[in-house]
Amino acid sequence: MKILEAGFVQGFIRMCNDGWEQGWHERNGGNLTYRVKKEEAEAVKEELRTDGEWHEIGTSIPLLAGEYFLVTGSGKYFRNVILEPEDSLAIVELDEKGEKYRICWGLVNGGKPTSELPSHLMNHEVKMTATGGKHRVIYHAHPTNVIALTFVLPLKDEVFTRELWEMATECPVVFPDGIGVVGWMVPGGRDIAVATSELMKQYDVAIWAHHGMFASGEDFDLTFGLMHTVEKSAEILVKVLSIRPDKLQTILPQNFRDLAVDFKVTLPEKFLYEK
Ligand code: 2HA
Ligand code: ZN
């Protein structure tokens, strides 16, 4: 099968374009990676090069040894992915120790995988373990309203989770485990990767203060939908705070507990504090 015709590649391209159309990917902002299934890699094997040079990842991810990932390229624009996927994307393979990668397809005009590769791969490892292999997608975007909130809300998991839950009834059902928050850090390196992957042990979403958001999910629909839901909720909160800083009414802790029963989700009590 031709790589560009494969379902996982088409889904990946569509998600990049959806993110661009949402306005979450100015210039080369954001990155997306997908842990390719064995049978998907097998189906496109003829087009995968095996003579690429090995490069250091910059961190060690032993549980992902030998896995293939479809990734966006460093410095590439989400806006261009749909037009020239072979220029913007790459399939990489990890070595048998999970310390190096090589390019097997894509980046035809040169380049490297996303600058956030260490964060993505460490998060893949954490989420693969936490979900028994179900999670395959890690998505980083720069959604405007979430970023705006990191200037005015305390950078605490409890505050972001509760405030965003309150903005839309579906939120606690879509992200019942809550949201983690990382204070401002230098992007691209191992430190931010470690901080984020620590949070991703318990959450599917992490916010990077004054920068953007990370989301993890089983497939493209769920992961894009998660990012979209959190950002939509942040947009409502920005509007509410702009109209008047104190809410006249909201969803109360007991409302959340009632919702949890009917929708069969567990909502940690640490988010249901009295204000
Ligand atoms: O430019 O978003 O965090 C890519 C990024 C880095
Ligand atoms: Zn970024």
Side-chain angles (χ1 to χ4, degrees), residues 21 57 114 120 164 170-171 235:
E21 288 183 347
I57 296 166
T114 166
H120 277 255
L164 292 173
E170 71 174 292
C171 284
E235 181 179 353

Side-chain angles (χ1 to χ4, degrees), residues 28-31 115-116 140 142 187 208 211:
N28 61 321
N31 21 75
S115 59
E116 302 292 0
H140 168 59
H142 297 170
W208 286 358
H211 181 151

